[in-house]
């Protein structure tokens, strides 16, 4: 009896053991569509479907690595929904740490291309479409502890895992199963031209989807699971050629080429194929996190009867959570015990180490991140790469920073096409060098009928950890105001004015916080204005000539966090500055002047200016913004009214404001306030309604003898406004608006343009 009981028990136990099916999970690549994998994992856990092995490609490799590392589907979902995730995939930095002491955007560039260079005769393209510097550190931070527990063996993670990569030199797939887990995640998603390839095990690897985007064969060869669940998110998006949307889809064409390749026939009859319905989503739809996760979840629920019929084994969710908790109990605190730098010269290493400060033999993680984000905020460090690895001898983690100390040459191309005379071409060159100091040398050019400008500068970041820099700069501007005609409202009077300004100055600046800096500038200016005092001037008339030679000293505090250079709808921008201007005015009257004698006048005056622009997101469909500006000055009058007017501070709130000499919006001292209503029709289309109120404390008037005088204090409000639509294209804004100015000669106008209407500031602004 006892023997029979023993045999029966042994038979029952063996049946139970052999009945335990092993389940492999394959997660395909597909860019943003790979976020649907999170929903699939969520459904599997809720219904006690086990996962014993994971093989993933691209975004499937990233989601799979996090799950294998002990993150629950809910935790992965929270990561994907976080603001930081959007910053990672879009190339931004975590706002808590981000510091940027570089120049604020002040040009009309539409496209920037980076080259690595060692000489003018050796240039290499170094301009991926996506900025990965924040993403790289995020992947390391998320997986450093699990990688340490597994001793860099992916079979010792909570769930055995493999990532797919590609070696483009040998044109072979690479199966990553050991080493730094963050590196493996980064390699498997390195879509050519979108993300930089990184070196893993001594070789550059790219996205695994190039050669195996649906690695069913890999999970079956390595692990021989009883059942394989294949989740495919890389499906053909279009049955036929998209005739009407092909232009907009060109930016995604490479992703279609690399990621939309899968072969579902690799699965057998015993396996389960899951293909979420992702119609309407693309490989770059990272803003649709919740929707993509839900699509994956719903399709997995729909497939649940098949899953349960083919997989008899059940693992309760509480048991999975217990396994996860046990795995995480082995995590060691993420304390950085040392900083190691590779591929830097001795001088460069000394320079970089100044960013990192240790305390009591270790480095605080927040401090390390702060230093890293300070570095990557400067383009000199666009090629660095971080690792976080465990060191047994130190008993802690080591933060490793790999440099690629090549100089970078950036080519900027841009401009503007418009219905006014503001159309122009912009070209810029910037050379970034990292020797003993960080140095940025640049030259750029505006060319148009209305505005011509050349600027040359060199910036030396002598103590970048504190944001301290010196910047010498030379600027030449020419503004040629002509008869501005509107194609609908022909009411503008001709403005005969040709302004030249030349400025050479030196700035000393220091970062004062997140995206803010304090700058002191001393400049020598040499300006010349040629103008007519009459709107009836002829080509035979000699224009008045007013020149000003002197110095311009300015102390300025600025902060810039707007999300767009023009037509922003998030963030803020403030600028407060005090200026001291002194110099000599030389005036030579022309044939339209009532004066006939040359004169010289010395000027010495101050200006205080404050500008604040800010936006608030009231709802997904509406943002409210405002703009306020105040100027106070004891500026003295120039030789005549027209010469004084064109050298008087001006309020320019609308896109086409720089094209006009609007007398009613100028004043030595003035105040202005306006509101900006932004209605979001979609993520790329806004409707904007803007209105502004302006008043000069003492208005400038022309006397009968053409001299200028200030009218006694009187509040005379002037109104301006705009209603229009803006399309935020990948290469600059497209806008159509109706603009209004409380100005007799320029009251109404229709303004359409493509590109940025951004010009250089004048030398005395």
């Amino acid at each position: 009896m006892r023997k029979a009981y023993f045999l029966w028990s042994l038979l029952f136990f063996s049946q139970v053991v052999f009945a335990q099916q092993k389940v492999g999970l394959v997660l395909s690549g597909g860019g943003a569509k790979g976020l649907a994998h999170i929903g699939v994992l969520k459904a599997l856990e809720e219904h006690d479907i086990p996962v014993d092995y994971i093989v993933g490609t691209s975004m499937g490799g990233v989601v799979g690595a996090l799950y294998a590392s002990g993150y629950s589907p809910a935790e992965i979902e929270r990561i994907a929904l976080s603001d930081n995730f959007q910053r990672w995939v879009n190339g931004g930095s975590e706002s808590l740490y981000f510091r940027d002491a570089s120049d604020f955007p002040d040009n009309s560039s539409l496209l920037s291309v980076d080259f690595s260079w060692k000489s003018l005769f050796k240039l290499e393209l170094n301009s991926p479409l996506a900025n990965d510097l924040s993403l790289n550190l995020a992947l390391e931070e998320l997986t450093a502890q699990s990688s340490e527990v597994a001793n860099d063996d992916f079979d010792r993670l909570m769930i055995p895992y493999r990532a797919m990569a590609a070696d483009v030199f040998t044109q072979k797939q690479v199966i990553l199963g050991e080493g730094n887990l963050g590196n493996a995640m980064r390699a498997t998603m390195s879509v050519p031209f979108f993300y930089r390839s990184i070196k893993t095990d001594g070789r550059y690897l790219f996205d695994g989807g190039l050669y195996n985007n649906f690695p069913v064969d890999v999970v079956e060869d390595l692990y021989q699971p009883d059942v394989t669940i294949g989740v495919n998110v890389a499906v053909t998006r279009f049955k036929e050629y998209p005739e009407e949307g092909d232009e907009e889809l060109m930016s995604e064409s490479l992703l279609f080429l690399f990621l939309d390749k899968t072969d579902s026939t690799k699965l057998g009859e015993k396996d389960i194929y899951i293909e979420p319905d992702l119609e309407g989503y693309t490989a770059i739809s990272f803003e649709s996190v919740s929707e993509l996760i839900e699509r994956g979840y719903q399709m997995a629920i729909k497939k649940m009867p098949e899953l349960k019929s083919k997989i008899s084994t059940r693992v309760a969710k509480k048991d999975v959570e217990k396994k996860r908790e046990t795995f995480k109990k082995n995590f060691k605190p993420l304390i950085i015990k040392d900083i190691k730098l590779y591929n830097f010269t001795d001088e460069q290493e000394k320079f970089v180490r100044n960013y990192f400060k240790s305390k009591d033999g270790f480095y605080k993680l927040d401090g390390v991140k702060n230093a890293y984000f300070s570095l990557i905020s400067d383009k000199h460090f666009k090629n660095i790469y971080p690792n976080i690895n465990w060191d047994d001898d130190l008993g802690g983690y080591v933060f490793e920073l790999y440099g690629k100390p090549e100089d970078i040459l950036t080519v900027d191309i841009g401009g503007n096409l418009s219905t006014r005379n503001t159309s122009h071409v912009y070209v810029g060159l910037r050379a970034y060098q990292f020797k003993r100091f960080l140095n940025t040398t640049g030259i750029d050019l505006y060319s148009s009928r209305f505005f011509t400008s050349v600027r040359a500068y060199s910036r030396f970041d002598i103590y970048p950890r504190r944001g301290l820099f010196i910047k010498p700069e030379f600027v030449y501007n020419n503004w040629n105001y002509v008869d501005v005609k509107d194609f609908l409202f022909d009411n503008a009077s001709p403005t005969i004015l040709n302004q030249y300004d030349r400025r050479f100055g030196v700035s000393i600046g220091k970062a004062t916080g997140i995206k803010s800096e304090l700058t002191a500038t001393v400049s020598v200016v040499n300006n010349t204005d040629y103008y007519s005092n009459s709107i009836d001037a002829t080509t035979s008339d000699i224009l008045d000539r007013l020149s000003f030679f002197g110095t311009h000293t300015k102390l300025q505090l600025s902060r810039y966090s707007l999300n767009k250079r023009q037509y922003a709808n998030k963030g803020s921008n403030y600028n407060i500055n005090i200026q001291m201007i002194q110099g000599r005015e030389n005036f030579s009257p022309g044939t339209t002047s009532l004066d006939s004698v040359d004169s010289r006048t010395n000027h010495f005056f101050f200006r205080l200016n404050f500008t604040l622009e800010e936006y608030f997101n009231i709802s997904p469909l509406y943002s409210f913004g405002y703009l306020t500006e105040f100027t106070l000055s004891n500026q003295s009058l120039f030789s005549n009214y027209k010469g004084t007017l064109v050298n008087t501070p001006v309020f320019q709130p609308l896109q086409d404001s720089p094209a006009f000499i609007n007398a009613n919006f100028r004043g030595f001292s003035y105040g202005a306030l306006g509101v900006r209503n932004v209605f979001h029709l979609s993520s790329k289309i806004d409707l904007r309604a803007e209105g502004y109120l302006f008043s000069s404390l003492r208005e400038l008037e022309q006397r009968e003898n053409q001299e200028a005088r200030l009218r006694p204090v009187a509040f005379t409000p002037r109104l301006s406004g705009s209603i229009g639509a803006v399309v935020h294209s990948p290469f600059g804004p497209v806008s159509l608006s109706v603009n209004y100015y409380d100005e007799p000669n320029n009251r109404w106008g229709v303004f359409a343009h493509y590109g940025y209407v951004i010009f250089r500031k004048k030398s005395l602004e």
Side-chain angles (χ1 to χ4, degrees):
M1 183 72 176
R2 185 175 298 176
K3 183 177 181 181
Y5 178 80
F6 174 78
L7 291 174
W8 181 85
S9 299
L10 182 62
L11 178 62
F12 177 80
F13 178 77
S14 64
Q15 288 177 335
V16 171
V17 170
F18 288 115
Q20 296 291 323
Q21 293 172 300
K22 295 297 183 180
V23 179
L25 179 64
V26 175
L27 305 177
S28 81
K33 294 184 290 184
L35 295 169
H37 293 312
I38 302 172
V40 173
L41 291 171
K42 188 177 178 181
L44 295 179
E45 272 205 14
E46 287 181 0
H47 289 265
D48 302 336
I49 303 298
V51 175
D52 298 292
Y53 316 105
I54 300 176
V55 179
T57 297
S58 196
M59 184 58 76
V62 173
V63 174
L66 292 175
Y67 191 65
S69 296
Y71 289 90
S72 69
E75 289 174 323
I76 302 174
E77 183 176 17
R78 281 196 293 271
I79 292 171
L81 288 170
S82 69
D83 291 338
N84 281 336
F85 177 80
Q86 293 299 325
R87 295 187 185 98
W88 300 335
V89 297
N90 290 314
S93 297
E94 295 180 39
S95 59
L96 176 63
Y97 303 100
F98 186 67
R99 294 202 187 297
D100 187 359
S102 61
D103 289 338
F104 299 139
D106 63 349
N107 60 56
S108 57
S109 172
L110 297 171
L111 175 67
S112 294
V113 181
D114 293 337
F115 296 89
S116 295
W117 65 291
K118 295 181 180 177
S119 71
L120 292 178
F121 305 102
K122 186 177 180 181
L123 296 177
E124 298 176 358
L125 185 64
N126 185 16
S127 189
L129 297 181
N131 186 333
D132 58 4
L133 292 168
S134 297
L135 175 66
N136 296 337
L137 181 58
L139 295 179
E140 288 292 319
E141 186 180 359
L142 288 169
T143 60
Q145 291 166 294
S146 56
S147 192
E148 184 278 325
V149 171
N151 196 26
D152 292 339
D153 180 355
F154 298 174
D155 280 334
R156 296 175 61 182
L157 293 168
M158 191 191 91
I159 299 173
Y161 165 79
R162 290 292 185 274
M164 301 303 300
D167 180 347
V168 297
F169 295 106
T170 62
Q171 296 187 9
K172 294 180 181 179
Q173 70 176 19
V174 178
I175 304 171
L176 300 174
E178 61 181 9
N180 183 289
L181 183 57
N183 278 3
M185 296 166 69
R186 181 60 181 76
T188 192
M189 64 180 296
S190 295
V191 179
F193 307 114
F194 279 77
Y195 288 118
R196 292 177 300 152
S197 173
I198 66 164
K199 268 193 174 182
T200 303
D201 294 331
R203 53 182 171 174
Y204 285 105
L205 297 179
F206 285 93
D207 192 295
L210 289 174
Y211 302 127
N212 195 345
N213 201 42
F214 197 46
V216 173
D217 55 331
V218 175
V219 75
E220 293 185 347
D221 290 344
L222 287 176
Y223 300 116
Q224 296 86 44
D226 299 293
V227 180
T228 298
I229 303 172
V231 186
N232 176 27
V233 297
V235 294
T236 302
R237 184 180 173 193
F238 300 99
K239 305 297 183 184
E240 298 178 356
Y241 187 86
E243 299 284 352
E244 297 183 357
D246 54 356
E247 294 291 341
E248 292 78 8
L249 294 168
M250 281 301 295
S251 63
E252 305 171 26
S253 58
L254 286 175
L255 285 175
F256 294 152
L257 173 66
F258 294 132
L259 299 180
D260 287 349
K261 292 180 179 180
T262 57
D263 183 6
S264 60
T265 62
K266 293 179 179 180
L267 293 168
E269 293 184 1
K270 65 181 178 62
D271 303 321
I272 301 102
Y273 179 69
I274 300 177
E275 184 181 299
D277 178 10
L278 301 178
E279 184 177 356
Y281 298 97
T282 74
I284 58 173
S285 297
F286 286 104
E287 73 281 358
S288 304
V289 176
S290 297
E291 296 90 335
L292 290 165
I293 293 174
E294 182 63 21
R295 291 292 182 97
Y297 179 82
Q298 292 298 337
M299 185 54 69
I301 293 297
K302 187 176 181 179
K303 285 280 188 175
M304 199 55 64
E306 182 183 354
L307 286 161
K308 290 184 176 180
S309 67
K310 291 185 176 181
I311 302 173
S312 58
T313 303
R314 298 288 180 270
V315 177
K317 184 177 180 181
K318 64 178 181 179
D319 292 332
V320 177
E321 291 174 346
K322 185 176 181 180
K323 180 182 179 182
R324 185 175 291 125
E325 183 180 347
T326 300
F327 182 77
K328 289 185 174 182
K329 279 184 178 179
N330 295 312
F331 283 7
K332 294 181 173 63
L334 195 52
I335 297 174
I336 308 298
K337 298 299 289 285
D338 195 13
I339 306 292
K340 293 186 178 180
L341 305 178
Y342 299 92
N343 301 331
F344 293 95
T345 66
D346 291 342
E347 285 189 340
Q348 290 172 344
E349 181 171 337
K350 182 179 179 181
F351 181 90
V352 173
R353 283 193 178 278
N354 285 329
Y355 282 81
F356 299 92
K357 298 298 180 182
S358 65
K359 183 178 181 180
D360 301 327
F362 68 93
Y363 298 79
K364 290 184 178 180
L365 182 61
D366 283 354
V368 171
K369 292 173 68 174
N370 189 11
Y372 176 78
F373 285 121
S374 294
L375 282 170
I376 67 173
S377 68
D378 195 294
K379 189 169 284 191
H380 294 87
F381 299 98
K382 72 166 291 181
N383 288 324
I384 65 176
Y385 186 83
N387 277 343
I388 300 177
N389 288 313
W390 176 262
D391 189 302
D392 283 327
D393 294 333
L394 293 175
Y397 292 91
V398 175
F399 183 81
E400 301 172 346
L401 200 60
Y402 292 83
K404 191 178 179 183
E406 294 178 342
D407 297 328
I408 296 172
L409 178 67
T410 298
V411 179
D412 296 319
I413 300 172
N416 176 274
L417 292 174
S418 72
T419 55
R420 293 208 187 278
N421 60 344
T422 55
S423 298
H424 65 273
V425 174
Y426 172 84
V427 179
L429 296 175
R430 287 172 286 153
Y432 297 86
Q433 292 181 296
F434 178 22
K435 303 302 181 185
R436 185 175 181 183
F437 299 110
L438 303 182
N439 174 237
T440 305
T441 301
I443 184 170
D444 51 25
L445 168 71
Y446 282 85
S447 179
S448 73
R449 188 168 63 116
F450 169 61
F451 177 60
T452 301
S453 176
V454 177
R455 178 179 68 156
Y457 62 92
S458 191
R459 171 173 167 147
F460 300 91
D461 290 274
I462 55 178
Y463 194 8
R465 186 173 183 269
R466 299 297 183 188
L468 186 62
F469 66 88
I470 297 176
K471 180 181 177 182
E473 180 180 47
F474 170 78
V475 179
Y476 165 83
N477 295 324
N478 172 217
W479 306 79
N480 188 8
Y481 295 86
V482 295
D483 187 6
V484 182
K485 291 184 179 294
D486 186 272
F487 69 89
L488 188 60
F489 300 98
D490 187 14
N491 60 358
S493 297
T495 299
I496 301 174
L497 170 65
N498 209 341
Q499 288 189 300
Y500 298 86
D501 68 50
R502 294 157 287 263
R503 178 177 68 86
F504 176 77
V506 178
S507 299
I508 299 177
K510 182 185 183 305
T512 56
I514 298 174
K515 293 187 176 182
S516 67
E517 64 185 28
L518 178 66
T519 307
T521 304
V522 177
S523 303
V524 176
V525 297
N526 184 9
N527 301 343
T528 306
D529 301 330
Y530 296 92
Y531 55 86
S532 170
N533 296 280
S534 170
I535 63 174
D536 300 320
T538 66
T539 56
S540 61
D541 284 329
I542 299 174
L543 302 179
D544 287 13
R545 181 182 184 277
L546 188 154
S547 65
F548 180 85
F549 180 82
T551 61
H552 180 206
T553 305
K554 179 168 67 174
L555 182 65
Q556 175 174 282
L557 178 64
S558 302
R559 183 182 187 277
Y560 189 98
S561 64
L562 298 177
N563 63 332
K564 302 178 188 299
R565 270 179 285 174
Q566 200 163 28
Y567 303 114
N569 51 47
K570 292 181 182 178
S572 64
N573 174 32
Y574 75 73
N575 183 306
I576 182 170
N577 63 74
I578 184 169
Q579 306 170 49
M580 182 180 71
I581 300 169
Q582 59 180 348
R584 171 173 290 183
E585 170 202 351
N586 294 317
F587 175 69
S588 296
T591 56
T592 65
S593 176
L594 297 180
D595 201 344
S596 59
V597 180
D598 292 358
S599 63
R600 292 184 177 183
T601 307
N602 292 323
H603 294 273
F604 179 80
F605 55 91
F606 291 91
R607 284 180 187 162
L608 174 66
N609 175 265
F610 172 77
T611 303
L612 174 61
E613 178 183 2
E614 191 169 15
Y615 293 88
F616 303 91
N617 292 327
I618 307 302
S619 75
L621 299 178
Y622 173 68
S623 296
F624 171 77
Y626 70 90
L627 171 68
T628 183
E629 184 173 319
F630 298 95
T631 294
L632 296 174
S633 176
N634 64 340
Q635 180 174 336
S636 51
L637 299 172
F638 283 71
S639 293
N640 61 11
Y641 169 76
K642 192 66 173 289
T644 305
L645 179 70
V646 299
N647 287 285
T648 297
V650 57
F651 178 58
Q652 298 179 327
L654 303 182
Q655 318 94 317
D656 62 348
S657 294
F660 307 105
I661 301 296
N662 285 330
N664 286 345
F665 292 86
R666 291 175 178 264
F668 291 168
S669 299
Y670 65 80
L673 178 64
V675 296
R676 293 176 170 177
N677 300 284
V678 186
F679 303 92
H680 310 294
L681 300 187
S682 71
S683 61
K684 299 185 183 302
I685 302 177
D686 290 339
L687 294 180
R688 300 179 70 98
E690 307 177 9
Y692 304 92
L693 179 67
F694 170 93
S695 180
S696 178
L697 297 185
R698 300 181 68 187
E699 286 194 345
L700 196 65
E701 290 184 331
Q702 182 173 204
R703 302 174 67 179
E704 293 181 357
N705 60 356
Q706 294 181 344
E707 290 184 355
R709 73 173 180 180
L710 294 174
R711 193 168 66 177
V713 177
F715 178 75
T716 308
R718 306 291 184 180
L719 300 177
S720 61
S722 173
I723 296 177
V726 182
V727 178
H728 300 283
S729 78
F731 297 101
V734 181
S735 174
L736 173 64
S737 63
V738 177
N739 298 344
Y740 169 82
Y741 295 95
D742 188 0
E743 189 79 31
N745 297 323
N746 177 37
R747 196 169 296 277
W748 290 98
V750 175
F751 184 54
H753 74 93
Y754 163 67
Y756 294 104
V757 190
I758 299 176
F759 299 103
R760 194 91 65 217
K761 289 184 178 298
K762 295 184 178 180
S763 62
L764 296 183
E765 289 184 342

